[in-house]
Amino acid sequence: MENLIWIFVSALLINNFTLTYFLGLCSFFGVTTKIDTAIRLGLANIFVMIITALSVYALNRWVLSYAPYLQMISFIIVIASSVQFVEMAIKKLSPDLFKALGIYLPLITTNCAILALALFTTNKGYGLAEGLVYALGAGLGITLALVTLAGIREESRLLDIPILLQGTAMNMIIAGILSMAFMGFAGLFSSH
């Protein structure tokens, strides 16, 4: 149980996919204009990561042990089909969310964080429970990063920011500060 907690905290805070590994930056910078949209994309990421973790476990156990050379293409196919399923479900259940996410929902297909989850889970030798906890922690970590940046961006609209710092420059500065803050978690948990 302690190992599962450590895997979760590590993926959520210490080794945050977006703010420590710099994975998934497309959606990090593109969808973080509103907190509501950031939360919804984060939830979609969590769902796809959990489906990916389940699929990776099944692939590693029953397919890739016999044909390890198919690893990368198998992971890409599973991720692409998972995202298509999520996209169809969101389009049917919440057309407004589908319109709000726009191009960024299909971008989950090519989101390097999802592929990294599959590769990291495999390389670390995680079983089913560890893989699911890792996926949940990583997905919540991405969601935390998206929502934090979206909240700061919403609040910064109320400030008198110099023209040179508005837009992309400000987003990069905020992302850098957030990244340093999350790297500070490594010092808190360095005894493990």
Side-chain angles (χ1 to χ4, degrees):
M1 184 65 173
E2 182 180 323
N3 188 39
L4 293 178
I5 293 170
W6 172 249
I7 290 170
F8 179 79
V9 170
S10 176
L12 176 68
L13 299 173
I14 301 165
N15 297 314
N16 185 289
F17 275 38
T18 303
L19 296 173
T20 303
Y21 292 142
F22 306 113
L23 299 168
L25 292 178
C26 259
S27 55
F28 180 66
F29 287 117
V31 180
T32 54
T33 54
K34 294 182 181 177
I35 292 176
D36 188 44
T37 307
I39 290 171
R40 291 176 181 184
L41 184 65
L43 293 175
N45 268 310
I46 291 169
F47 181 75
V48 170
M49 286 186 145
I50 289 173
I51 297 299
T52 299
L54 287 168
S55 304
V56 164
Y57 174 76
L59 283 171
N60 283 333
R61 183 165 174 105
W62 292 297
V63 176
L64 297 176
S65 58
Y66 303 106
Y69 51 87
L70 294 175
Q71 182 183 53
M72 192 66 72
I73 191 71
S74 300
F75 292 164
I76 291 170
I77 289 169
V78 164
I79 291 166
S81 48
S82 299
V83 171
Q84 286 299 316
F85 172 71
V86 169
E87 187 175 358
M88 288 186 310
I90 289 175
K91 189 174 185 177
K92 184 168 180 75
L93 298 173
S94 178
D96 293 334
L97 172 60
F98 184 76
K99 287 177 188 172
L101 292 175
I103 188 69
Y104 295 102
L105 188 57
L107 280 178
I108 294 176
T109 305
T110 58
N111 188 340
C112 54
I114 308 294
L115 182 58
L117 174 84
L119 295 172
F120 292 168
T121 302
T122 300
N123 291 342
K124 294 177 185 210
Y126 287 159
L128 181 60
E130 292 98 347
L132 289 172
V133 168
Y134 187 62
L136 182 61
L140 285 171
I142 290 171
T143 304
L144 179 63
L146 290 169
V147 170
T148 303
L149 182 61
I152 294 171
R153 285 176 75 175
E154 280 187 4
E155 290 296 319
S156 69
R157 289 188 198 117
L158 303 174
L159 302 174
D160 186 26
I161 299 172
I163 293 174
L164 289 175
L165 292 179
Q166 291 178 5
T168 304
M170 185 61 141
N171 295 337
M172 297 297 257
I173 291 168
I174 294 167
I177 292 169
L178 285 174
S179 179
M180 287 189 293
F182 272 71
M183 287 180 186
F185 287 117
L188 289 174
F189 297 100
S190 62
S191 63
H192 192 279

